[in-house]
Amino acid sequence: QDHVCSLPKVPFRGAPCSDAAGSQVPYAAIMKQVNSSLSGVLWDEVQKAPFYEYKDSGGQFHQVWFDDPHSISLKAAYVKSRGLRGIGMWNGNSLDYSREAVAEQQTQAMWQALTP
């Protein structure tokens, strides 16, 4: 069903449905796929995070949630405004460290977003 992405029930640490049913996608792949997706970048105001939707070659509906410089900067600003001691990222290795100009700009923007 469009705009409804359900995860299979894969128990993980007591939760009946968790991200254990999903998979991680490198930021480089996200940035290349988002522009050809069904939806383009969408924004969830509650999570303060971007996502997009696409259908694979078999017609299966998918949602991909990720952080971008805007969402990271909002989280970093929240940490700073509350006097908290820091912020962490899930996996900085997923950024695109190729020497392509666009990739270098995206990667630099992500790291700069951590310092509001």
Side-chain angles (χ1 to χ4, degrees):
Q1 181 180 9
D2 285 355
H3 307 295
V4 176
C5 188
S6 59
L7 292 172
K9 292 187 177 187
V10 177
F12 180 73
R13 297 186 183 182
C17 183
S18 73
D19 62 352
S23 61
Q24 183 173 322
V25 178
Y27 190 70
I30 289 170
M31 291 295 96
K32 289 176 180 162
Q33 186 181 44
V34 70
N35 292 330
S36 62
S37 67
L38 291 172
S39 63
V41 176
L42 301 170
W43 181 260
D44 184 278
E45 190 58 38
V46 174
Q47 302 295 323
K48 305 285 189 220
F51 67 101
Y52 65 93
E53 302 171 334
Y54 74 94
K55 286 187 181 177
D56 63 23
S57 58
Q60 178 78 28
F61 180 78
H62 299 269
Q63 285 182 338
V64 178
W65 290 76
F66 60 101
D67 275 308
D68 65 4
H70 179 63
S71 63
I72 292 280
S73 67
L74 291 173
K75 292 168 186 168
Y78 178 84
V79 166
K80 186 175 183 179
S81 73
R82 299 294 190 267
L84 301 175
R85 297 186 75 153
I87 188 171
M89 290 176 28
W90 176 254
N91 192 344
N93 296 12
S94 291
L95 297 174
D96 188 345
Y97 292 102
S98 69
R99 300 281 184 208
E100 295 176 17
V102 171
E104 285 182 343
Q105 289 172 344
Q106 291 169 344
T107 298
Q108 183 179 14
M110 286 291 277
W111 285 111
Q112 286 176 339
L114 286 169
T115 55

